[in-house]
Amino acid sequence: MRLLKVFLFELSSQLFYPVIDFCLTKNIQTDRDTNMTCLKLDWASKANCKQREGRAGRVSNGRCYKLVRKDFFVNYLMDYGVPEMRRCPLSQLVR
């Protein structure tokens, strides 16, 4: 409730650009049995979330709101994501 009050106050006080982060990302994954790639929805890394947070105040006033609990963010999310070279075969990446 407190977060909503802060959000509404900042929204009404001046021109304000919020960034709402669900801490989710779509990653390319390869099924090892069929060798087919697909997009899979997965939790973002802390580094991805920090990059998204930077978008909030870059051009004008703004703030980032993460829609996950703080203990989930600190304890569950990885610091960095798995590189695409480890998720997919090289033949899929180099063209």
Side-chain angles (χ1 to χ4, degrees):
M1 189 66 175
R2 181 181 170 275
L3 178 67
L4 183 60
K5 288 179 185 176
V6 170
F7 177 72
L8 292 177
F9 172 74
E10 289 181 355
L11 188 60
S12 63
S13 66
Q14 59 189 13
L15 197 55
F16 175 76
Y17 294 100
V19 173
I20 299 174
D21 188 5
F22 292 94
C23 297
L24 292 170
T25 184
K26 289 183 181 179
N27 292 324
I28 296 176
Q29 301 264 327
T30 302
D31 185 6
R32 295 191 187 272
D33 297 333
T34 61
N35 203 25
M36 297 285 293
T37 58
C38 63
L39 286 174
K40 181 183 170 195
L41 191 64
D42 203 2
W43 292 109
S45 67
K46 291 177 190 172
N48 286 358
C49 294
K50 186 175 181 180
Q51 181 185 18
R52 294 173 188 173
E53 188 176 316
R55 293 186 185 129
R58 198 170 291 150
V59 177
S60 63
N61 294 334
R63 190 164 180 185
C64 181
Y65 297 95
K66 293 179 182 62
L67 297 183
V68 295
R69 294 179 58 145
K70 186 174 184 174
D71 62 335
F72 178 83
F73 182 81
V74 171
N75 298 324
Y76 186 75
L77 294 182
M78 298 186 308
D79 291 334
Y80 298 98
V82 178
E84 190 171 1
M85 291 183 75
R86 290 194 175 180
R87 290 191 312 252
C88 297
L90 261 141
S91 61
Q92 298 281 336
L93 299 175
V94 179
R95 294 175 191 231

